[in-house]
Amino acid sequence: MTRLTSAARSTFNHPDRGATARRPLPAGYGITHHRTRIGYGRAVLEAAGAAVTTFRAHRASGMLVTAGGEPVRTGDRVVVGIGVGRLRIDAPCEVVWTAYEPRRIGFAYGTLAGHPARGEESFVVDMEADGSVWFEVNAFSRPGSWYTRLAGPVLPFLQQAYACRLGRYVRGLATGARPAGYWTGWTGSRRPDTGWGG
């Protein structure tokens, strides 16, 4: 069952909360979509789902993540940090829906006030009728700060590249294969468990 958050204590910086649970995605945003095959069977589905909903895949790919709970739940606050030292940007989000279903596991978070973008991103692992397991990222966003507006044309490329990278890490965590370019440094997260001791 997909659970949506209420609007009661919202500090979302965009009006389209929960839109990644529907199609089409809202107009007026840049769209990111990436789908990659992870493997086959229930064990892979469950391992990939756990990697996504505990942020292990995000941390393994080099992101700094502080989460309100693991596995993630609707309403949890999440801060994703990019960069290091004075160049680090903290991006606050809130989980707007979760899916813990027999063939579908994942969540979406929306951007909050202070995030350099405005929009929402979903991360979902699902199993097809033939048993194949796929990881999918769907996002809509637009710049929310002066520096993301300045980087405007480059942002869609970076978002797509990160979605592809994240897919490789989900596959690696689910199947035990270490992706090329695996991040071996400390992730900086409060729970740096990446599954490979990185």
Side-chain angles (χ1 to χ4, degrees), residues 59 63-68 70 79 88 186-193:
R59 290 176 177 133
M63 292 292 112
L64 309 171
V65 180
T66 302
E70 297 176 23
V79 178
R88 178 175 166 172
W186 177 61
T187 63
S189 65
R190 290 185 182 170
R191 294 185 58 192
D193 172 26

Side-chain angles (χ1 to χ4, degrees), residues 168-182:
R168 290 192 301 273
Y169 281 87
V170 171
R171 182 171 48 239
L173 287 164
T175 64
R178 184 176 286 196
Y182 169 67

Side-chain angles (χ1 to χ4, degrees), residues 60-146:
S61 72
M63 292 292 112
L64 309 171
V65 180
T66 302
E70 297 176 23
V72 68
R73 295 289 174 199
T74 302
D76 284 351
R77 296 290 175 109
V78 178
V79 178
V80 179
I82 303 165
V84 294
R86 291 179 176 234
L87 298 178
R88 178 175 166 172
I89 299 168
D90 286 330
C93 305
E94 184 173 320
V95 177
V96 294
W97 60 260
T98 57
Y100 292 99
E101 302 167 8
R103 291 181 168 268
R104 185 170 177 261
I105 304 169
F107 72 95
Y109 52 42
T111 58
L112 300 176
H115 196 292
R118 299 173 183 267
E120 190 173 296
E121 192 165 19
S122 67
F123 310 92
V124 175
V125 180
D126 66 70
M127 185 166 66
E128 301 281 338
D130 67 357
S132 62
V133 177
W134 297 80
F135 172 66
E136 185 170 16
V137 175
N138 282 296
F140 60 90
S141 67
R142 57 184 170 225
S145 66
W146 67 267

